[in-house]
Amino acid sequence: MRRGRPGALPRGTAERTLTSVGTRGGTKETDEAGEPGVPERTEAAPVADRGEVSRLWHITLSVSGAEAPLAEVRRALEQLAHDHPFLLTSRYAGDHAEIRYWEEARDLHDAAAVALRLWGEHRSSARLPPWEIVGLEVIDRETYHQRIAEGYGPLPATPVGVHPF
């Protein structure tokens, strides 16, 4: 799926497409490292029927802003998770939140671009707080599992869902 204006590509982009984890492949309860909700497919998959290869990227998106009522923050994050079931876990406080999920994309640039649009594109539909993105980590599946095995890096996203810090 190509996102953006139809027609010519912006300067400096060589036929890049952005994709999201969709219904292809599904999910299973846990993977070999105990990570819940990781898409089943571990091999690379073609993107947009053009022979390109997509990969899985672990995304951690951090947002922050003015204090908001905890109940409203929780409700908004739950709505976001309902609208986009690929979200693994969200942690929140009155003035910040962290969202973690898996994204399928051709490369890091595409995964980061999709992640950076997530909060703004769903601010109205999920009634998210008017916070700004203050952090983004995008790592490939192999790096994620290597970090977990070595005892550092993002802890497995358990329990899945929306939880206070």
Side-chain angles (χ1 to χ4, degrees):
M1 153 172 57
R2 182 167 167 228
R3 295 185 183 179
R5 274 186 316 137
L9 293 171
R11 252 185 324 171
T13 61
E15 192 60 32
R16 179 176 289 161
T17 59
L18 303 179
T19 59
S20 283
V21 174
T23 57
R24 296 183 340 203
T27 60
K28 59 182 177 179
E29 292 297 317
T30 59
D31 71 356
E32 61 277 0
E35 180 66 25
V38 175
E40 286 178 13
R41 196 175 52 247
T42 57
E43 72 280 357
V47 174
D49 297 327
R50 292 192 329 221
E52 296 174 5
V53 176
S54 67
R55 297 169 46 193
L56 289 175
W57 302 89
H58 186 266
I59 308 291
T60 304
L61 183 69
S62 300
V63 294
S64 176
E67 188 80 23
L70 286 176
E72 289 181 25
V73 174
R74 180 180 183 91
R75 187 222 35 84
L77 291 173
E78 286 173 345
Q79 182 63 48
L80 181 61
H82 175 74
D83 293 346
H84 300 280
F86 59 86
L87 296 179
L88 289 176
T89 189
S90 298
R91 298 186 307 164
Y92 66 94
D95 63 348
H96 65 282
E98 177 184 272
I99 300 166
R100 298 178 54 201
Y101 65 97
W102 290 94
E103 181 70 57
E104 183 180 51
R106 185 182 64 148
D107 58 24
L108 181 130
H109 295 99
D110 290 351
V114 172
L116 288 170
R117 290 196 315 261
L118 178 71
W119 191 261
E121 286 183 354
H122 300 286
R123 185 172 288 153
S124 295
S125 63
R127 296 191 334 241
L128 296 166
W131 296 343
E132 66 177 333
I133 296 172
V134 296
L136 174 65
E137 180 184 55
V138 180
I139 57 175
D140 67 357
R141 184 178 172 95
E142 295 80 28
T143 302
Y144 175 84
H145 288 293
Q146 180 182 6
R147 286 183 178 184
I148 297 300
E150 292 174 357
Y152 68 94
L155 297 174
T158 54
V160 172
V162 177
H163 307 282
F165 272 105

